[in-house]
Structures are given as C-alpha cells and as structure tokens.
Amino acid sequence: MLEFMRAGAVAAMLATSPDAGTMPSPLSIRGPATAAAVQVADPWLGADKFQHFWMSYAVTAFVFAGTRMAGAETDAALHIAVPAATLVGVAKEVHDRRSGGRFSVRDLVADGLGVAAAFFLLREVR
C-alpha cells in the first residue's frame, strides 16, 4: 500500500513538474522543503558555543578534581579528565543527531576549546 501511494505521489509530481520526464529529487518527494530551507543557522559565536565551551571546561575540571581527591597524581588525573570530557561532548552530539537534531562540528570545536583551556590551567596544579 505504501509503495502504491509513493508511486502515485511521484507520478503526480512528474505530471506537474515544469521539467516533466526527469526524476524529482528525494527532498521534493517529501514536501516543499529544500536543502537550503532545512539547514539551521549554526553561528561560530552563538550562545550555544559559549555553553559548549564552559560545559566542557567544567566537566574537565570536575573529573580532574574527583580523580585528584581519589588520590591520583596531576598527570594521571588529566589523562582521565580530558578523554572523559571529550567523550561527553561527542556523546551529546550523537544524542542530538539521534533525537532528530543535527550533528554540529562547530559544537565539537567549542567543546575541544573548553577541554583545552581546562587542560592548560589544570596541568599547573600540583
């Protein structure tokens, strides 16, 4: 039944298409949205990037503090905190993608900058 409906939709679009006889793109089958209309603005300096930076910074610092309190040396604590914070940032983007959102490389860059800033500060802790 679904294939029949899809075939009818394609046939109707071909009949009303100005360039009848060519196959419509998959985006036009779903509706009037185009690739340009689907893309969401993702500015490099948006509030979202600020939040990603500071959350990654905080996760790195908290994991570092927790491992230090557990008795780890500074270098060992950094070797745990940096990958943990990186994993949290990547997991957030994967979750966004799976829940219907977008996977943002710009968010990951902000996450990486937050982890790096925390790393350079925390490596001086003795």
Side-chain angles (χ1 to χ4, degrees), residues 32-111:
T34 62
V38 173
Q39 288 183 350
V40 178
D42 190 21
W44 277 105
L45 298 176
D48 181 43
K49 304 309 176 276
F50 180 78
Q51 293 167 349
H52 275 271
F53 176 89
W54 286 110
M55 185 54 69
S56 294
Y57 185 95
V59 169
T60 306
F62 286 136
V63 172
F64 175 82
T67 54
R68 288 284 293 167
M69 288 187 69
E73 295 294 323
T74 300
D75 290 339
L78 283 172
H79 282 102
I80 294 169
V82 168
T86 302
L87 180 64
V88 168
V90 172
K92 165 71 168 80
E93 292 308 310
V94 169
H95 171 71
D96 286 350
R97 180 68 182 134
R98 286 187 177 170
S99 64
R102 62 180 161 67
F103 187 96
S104 173
V105 175
R106 292 178 180 191
D107 287 350
L108 287 177
V109 169
D111 290 336

